[in-house]
Amino acid sequence: YKRVHRSHSGVGHLGKDGTMTSTTATPTAPVSVRVRVQKFGTFLSNMIMPTIGAIIAWGLITALFIPDGWLPNEKIATIVGPAIRYALPILIAYTGGMNVYGQRGGVVGAFSVMGVIMATSAPIFIGEDGNASPMFLGAMIMGPLAAFILKLFDKAVDGKIPSGFAMLVDNFSLGIIGLLLVLVGDVGVGPILAVIVVFLGAGVQFL
């Protein structure tokens, strides 16, 4: 009989001859900061890249039909403001929400960003010329956040909904969560973005 000592960090194995041998488990390497930053950058780019075509379409309309464009058209030029102020942020929020939680996440994300968009109608965002800043940053925050909250709710009630009420609960839960997040975006996220805009503006003036 041969006794082989096993360390606390190893795993023992019984050999064919009846002896115990030990193997040391390889520790899992911690995820580096660089890898985390790369993943976060990929997550952000996955929100923007699918909407590049819409941004190009807006740019072409702007270049062609605004008063200083190649083919000035007053009626078509009215698309420029609502497109960049509402349509593009909503598309970005929808894409971010969909990346987190599929179609339901996209829907709640697209609706939730309206609170931030309307909150940024304050004079600090509009400026002297009356043009509000496009809320791409707000869309990139509210879209994934709303989808993640809805995902947590669906996970919490999974298997607890009586048969026949699933569609009703799904629709009302999305509506109620969307309502609450619109209010949060309008009252909470908007002022925070206002502070960020002031800070970034001061930095630009300093430079």
Side-chain angles (χ1 to χ4, degrees):
Y1 178 75
K2 181 180 179 181
R3 178 179 295 173
V4 178
H5 293 285
R6 184 179 64 181
S7 64
H8 292 288
S9 61
V11 178
H13 298 280
L14 182 63
K16 294 181 178 180
D17 56 354
T19 61
M20 291 290 296
T21 59
S22 63
T23 58
T24 303
T26 304
T28 304
V31 179
S32 65
V33 175
R34 179 180 178 182
V35 173
R36 293 180 183 274
V37 171
Q38 288 176 342
K39 289 183 177 180
F40 183 68
T42 301
F43 176 75
L44 296 180
S45 66
N46 287 338
M47 280 190 281
I48 299 298
M49 293 304 295
T51 61
I52 290 295
I55 296 173
I56 292 174
W58 172 84
L60 292 175
I61 293 174
T62 304
L64 290 173
F65 301 114
I66 62 173
D68 296 331
W70 299 332
L71 302 171
N73 187 300
E74 184 177 353
K75 182 177 180 181
I76 299 177
T78 58
I79 300 173
V80 173
I84 192 170
R85 194 176 302 171
Y86 302 107
L88 294 179
I90 289 173
L91 285 173
I92 292 173
Y94 178 86
T95 305
M98 187 176 64
N99 289 341
V100 172
Y101 193 43
Q103 189 175 28
R104 278 172 60 78
V107 172
V108 73
F111 184 76
S112 299
V113 77
M114 282 302 300
V116 178
I117 292 174
M118 299 312 298
T120 54
S121 299
I124 187 174
F125 291 94
I126 295 176
E128 296 180 357
D129 57 357
N131 293 322
S133 301
M135 269 298 100
F136 293 166
L137 178 60
M140 296 173 75
I141 295 172
M142 291 303 297
L145 176 63
F148 180 70
I149 292 174
L150 181 63
K151 183 178 181 179
L152 291 180
F153 175 83
D154 286 352
K155 184 177 180 180
V157 301
D158 185 28
K160 301 176 183 178
I161 302 173
S163 178
F165 288 89
M167 183 177 296
L168 183 66
V169 173
D170 286 349
N171 288 326
F172 271 88
S173 63
L174 192 153
I176 294 171
I177 291 174
L179 165 65
L180 295 175
L181 290 174
V182 163
L183 298 178
V184 169
D186 191 31
V187 177
V189 179
I192 294 174
L193 291 176
V195 174
I196 294 175
V197 167
V198 172
F199 177 77
L200 294 178
V204 171
Q205 293 294 330
F206 176 77
L207 296 175

